[in-house]
Amino acid sequence: YIGVSTSAFEIEEDNFDGETLKFLRSVDPGTYIRRISPRPVWIFHAEGDEIIPFSMGQDFFGMAGEPKEFIALNGSTHGMSSAVDDYVIYNILKP
C-alpha cells in the first residue's frame, strides 16, 4: 500500500445514520490499514501539509502492521509530488 497525504477519518459515529456511516467506513483508509500486513505499507506525508495535519499521518502510520515505512517530506505539499514519484520509482519499484 502506498498512501500519500492520507489519514484515517475522524468519524463521530453519532452524527451519521446507518447508511451514511456504512459509506464513510467503506472509504476510510483507517478501516483497512490494519488488514494490509504482511504486505508492505509506505506512507508519505509532508510536515507542513495544510490539508491533513502531519500528526494525523503519523497516527495513521501507527495503525499499520509491519512491514511499514513512514517517509516525511519537507514543505507543505499535499498529495503527489516529484519527491514521492522519485522515491516510489527508485526505492520501491527499483527499475
Side-chain angles (χ1 to χ4, degrees), residues 46-66:
E47 294 177 5
D49 188 323
E50 296 175 357
I51 309 284
I52 299 176
F54 188 71
S55 61
M56 288 181 70
Q58 290 176 308
D59 291 345
F60 180 63
F61 173 75
M63 298 168 70
E66 295 290 345

Side-chain angles (χ1 to χ4, degrees), residues 35-76:
R35 301 163 127 181
I36 294 172
S37 181
R39 292 167 298 280
V41 170
W42 293 271
I43 303 294
F44 295 83
H45 212 104
E47 294 177 5
D49 188 323
E50 296 175 357
I51 309 284
I52 299 176
F54 188 71
S55 61
M56 288 181 70
Q58 290 176 308
D59 291 345
F60 180 63
F61 173 75
M63 298 168 70
E66 295 290 345
K68 62 184 180 177
E69 185 173 354
F70 187 89
I71 299 93
L73 304 171
N74 292 325
S76 60

